[in-house]
């Protein structure tokens, strides 16, 4: 994976919050936004491009 590839996060709930933190302190991220995963099974954050995939959805490529 290149550093420019967006981070993919698998989630269990269709409503997710993103503040751009993770490996960095939250103060260095972006404003917290709430995102809703639709029937496609994924949603991308408009600030940091994180890719949230709902486990078991059509977009979930990982079995289990």
């Amino acid at each position: 994976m290149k550093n420019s590839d967006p981070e993919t996060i698998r989630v269990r709930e269709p409503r997710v919050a993103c503040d751009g933190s993770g490996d960095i302190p939250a103060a260095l991220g972006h404003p917290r936004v709430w995102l809703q995963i639709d029937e496609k099974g994924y949603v991308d954050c408009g600030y940091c491009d994180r890719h949230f995939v709902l486990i078991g959805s059509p977009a979930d490529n990982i079995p289990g």
Side-chain angles (χ1 to χ4, degrees), residues 35-57:
L35 308 166
Q36 185 70 36
I37 297 174
D38 62 15
E39 66 279 348
K40 293 181 284 186
Y42 70 90
V43 67
D44 296 324
C45 177
Y47 282 100
C48 65
D49 292 333
R50 278 193 175 141
H51 184 70
F52 294 91
V53 176
L54 185 62
I55 294 171
S57 72

Side-chain angles (χ1 to χ4, degrees), residues 4-52:
S4 62
D5 291 341
E7 179 181 10
T8 297
I9 302 172
R10 295 176 72 227
V11 296
R12 296 188 184 280
E13 299 293 327
R15 184 170 160 88
V16 296
C18 185
D19 62 7
S21 66
D23 294 340
I24 62 171
L28 299 177
H30 60 69
R32 177 174 286 185
V33 292
W34 289 93
L35 308 166
Q36 185 70 36
I37 297 174
D38 62 15
E39 66 279 348
K40 293 181 284 186
Y42 70 90
V43 67
D44 296 324
C45 177
Y47 282 100
C48 65
D49 292 333
R50 278 193 175 141
H51 184 70
F52 294 91

